Amino acid sequence: MPSTMRKPFNYVETAAVQAAVKRARTGQAGQVGPDPALHSEDAELRWVEAVLRHRLSLHSFDRPVGIRAQNDDTHPLVANGRHFPAVALTIPFADRTLDFLATYNDRGRLTFDVIAPCAQCGKPVPTEEINSLEDLGDYLLQARDTLGGSPRLRTSPAHASACPARGN
Ligand SMILES: [Zn+2]
């Protein structure tokens, strides 16, 4: 299969697209309730993984969805931060992965961005905020008005050094 051909959606992607279409039609997103609580600081990676699993309703599938979580040494956990790394999360499928970056936004909320190649330099950068299954569906459909709108897109240190997409 040529690499330019879009592969069919897998089961998580299909559910995301269905959720996005439903939200667009009804104006209402599915209710997932509050995030799970962080019980112990040394389990932060597992907590971040649990929050992503919760926001994307991954428990609703009739099969387990694996997530790999590890420190991301390229991005800081908070804007302009130095001491704590962001968290990189990967959902592996048979033929591809969905990759996310977890950071805290300006209001201290844990926020997820989907990682995709920069349109300018091709490096993997935080591209769009994805905080629900509907958000993921919009991203997959390229339907969102704010596509390319993650605040981390311009500030990401993952861009090539001369990349024009990187702000200063
Ligand atoms: Zn770039």
Side-chain angles (χ1 to χ4, degrees):
M1 181 181 290
S3 60
T4 51
M5 188 181 289
R6 188 72 176 85
K7 291 176 177 144
F9 290 137
N10 63 40
Y11 62 102
V12 170
E13 293 169 330
T14 298
V17 166
Q18 286 170 349
V21 169
K22 185 177 177 191
R23 179 171 69 177
R25 199 173 58 225
T26 66
Q28 292 186 328
Q31 297 297 316
V32 297
D35 288 337
L38 174 61
H39 290 299
S40 113
E41 293 297 331
D42 62 5
E44 186 162 20
L45 283 179
R46 268 180 294 158
W47 173 69
V48 172
E49 177 193 324
V51 174
L52 180 64
R53 189 179 294 284
H54 172 76
R55 298 235 185 116
L56 297 184
S57 303
L58 297 182
H59 50 78
S60 67
F61 296 98
D62 57 5
R63 57 180 125 174
V65 180
I67 300 179
R68 294 195 298 261
Q70 60 186 36
N71 289 330
D72 179 289
D73 294 326
T74 305
H75 298 89
L77 191 58
V78 297
N80 303 316
R82 289 168 174 236
H83 299 296
F84 298 104
V87 178
L89 301 115
T90 297
I91 304 177
F93 299 102
D95 62 346
R96 79 193 79 173
T97 62
L98 278 172
D99 301 301
F100 298 90
L101 185 76
T103 57
Y104 289 97
N105 69 10
D106 296 347
R107 290 161 301 167
R109 184 182 192 231
L110 189 69
T111 301
F112 297 92
D113 292 307
V114 71
I115 298 286
C118 172
Q120 306 278 345
C121 72
K123 300 284 189 184
V125 293
T127 299
E128 185 71 18
E129 277 196 28
I130 302 290
N131 286 299
S132 68
L133 196 61
E134 290 86 352
D135 289 348
L136 180 61
D138 278 349
Y139 169 74
L140 293 168
L141 291 169
Q142 303 281 299
R144 215 179 201 192
D145 292 340
T146 53
L147 272 178
S150 170
R152 269 73 59 189
L153 177 66
R154 288 183 71 250
T155 60
S156 174
H159 288 287
S161 55
C163 179
R166 185 175 180 180
N168 47 30

